Amino acid sequence: MKIPGAATVEDLLRMPKDGCIYELVDGEILVSPAGMRHSEIAAKILAIVAAFLEQHPIGKVYTPDVGISLPNGNVRSPDVTFVRNEKLPGGKSPEGFGELVPDLAVEVLSPNDSLKEVGRKIGEFLECGVPAVWLVDPKRESVTVYRSLSETQQFSAGDILTAEP
């Protein structure tokens, strides 16, 4: 669903607390309900990353309500976001939106996702300097890792996935 007009960050902050994830993209507020399977998969990925970070506290992991203010002015909310400590002010999470480039953005495909919009989001993350983007496809039980639009790797259910470096 799109809310037309020249929306601002202030408009985004006024969106209802209704469980939906809202993003500010090119002056429009986008909302996309995801579904239970989507949420389950994103939660599992978040839990795995969080468990790793308990043993190796090199950064922080965030849920999709984080709000990352990218250098291009858009505010995106990946399904899972990882940020290294050195990018966080004083190594701590800011109160508001993160005005930084994450180190990993994870997107889980939903049945209602437009492939065009997902491709645009991946391209935007990469153009803004995100070094790794994971696209998780629950139907195919696969993950595509993007390091650039031309450097991708495909993983299937039995493969081991890392987020090097």
Side-chain angles (χ1 to χ4, degrees):
M1 176 171 102
K2 289 186 179 185
I3 298 175
T8 65
V9 170
E10 290 75 27
D11 296 324
L12 182 63
L13 291 170
R14 285 194 293 271
M15 296 309 295
K17 305 295 184 232
D18 57 6
C20 291
I21 301 300
Y22 295 91
E23 296 179 310
L24 177 63
V25 180
D26 299 331
E28 294 187 59
I29 295 177
L30 305 180
V31 59
S32 58
M36 291 182 75
R37 174 113 195 246
H38 174 279
S39 181
E40 175 190 1
I41 291 168
K44 283 182 179 180
I45 294 168
L46 186 120
I48 290 167
V49 174
F52 174 83
L53 292 174
E54 285 293 319
Q55 298 297 313
H56 311 277
I58 61 170
K60 307 222 183 300
V61 65
Y62 300 95
T63 61
D65 59 351
V66 66
I68 299 294
S69 183
L70 295 170
N72 64 3
N74 290 342
V75 178
R76 291 291 196 170
S77 298
D79 294 315
V80 178
T81 303
F82 167 73
V83 179
R84 296 181 68 84
N85 285 330
E86 52 268 19
K87 289 187 177 178
L88 298 168
K92 298 183 191 264
S93 299
E95 290 293 323
F97 292 139
E99 294 187 19
L100 48 78
V101 175
D103 294 285
L104 172 67
V106 179
E107 289 293 332
V108 179
L109 284 176
S110 299
N112 300 329
D113 277 341
S114 150
L115 289 180
K116 180 180 176 182
E117 180 57 33
V118 171
R120 179 177 173 212
K121 187 184 277 192
I122 291 168
E124 181 179 352
F125 286 141
L126 294 169
E127 287 172 10
C128 287
V130 178
V133 180
W134 293 356
L135 179 62
V136 180
D137 186 338
K139 275 189 185 173
R140 292 191 171 90
E141 295 185 351
S142 68
V143 177
T144 305
V145 176
Y146 293 84
R147 299 215 180 264
S148 72
L149 289 177
S150 61
E151 184 185 347
T152 63
Q153 284 181 283
Q154 186 81 31
F155 295 86
S156 59
D159 295 333
I160 295 175
L161 179 63
T162 66
E164 294 299 327

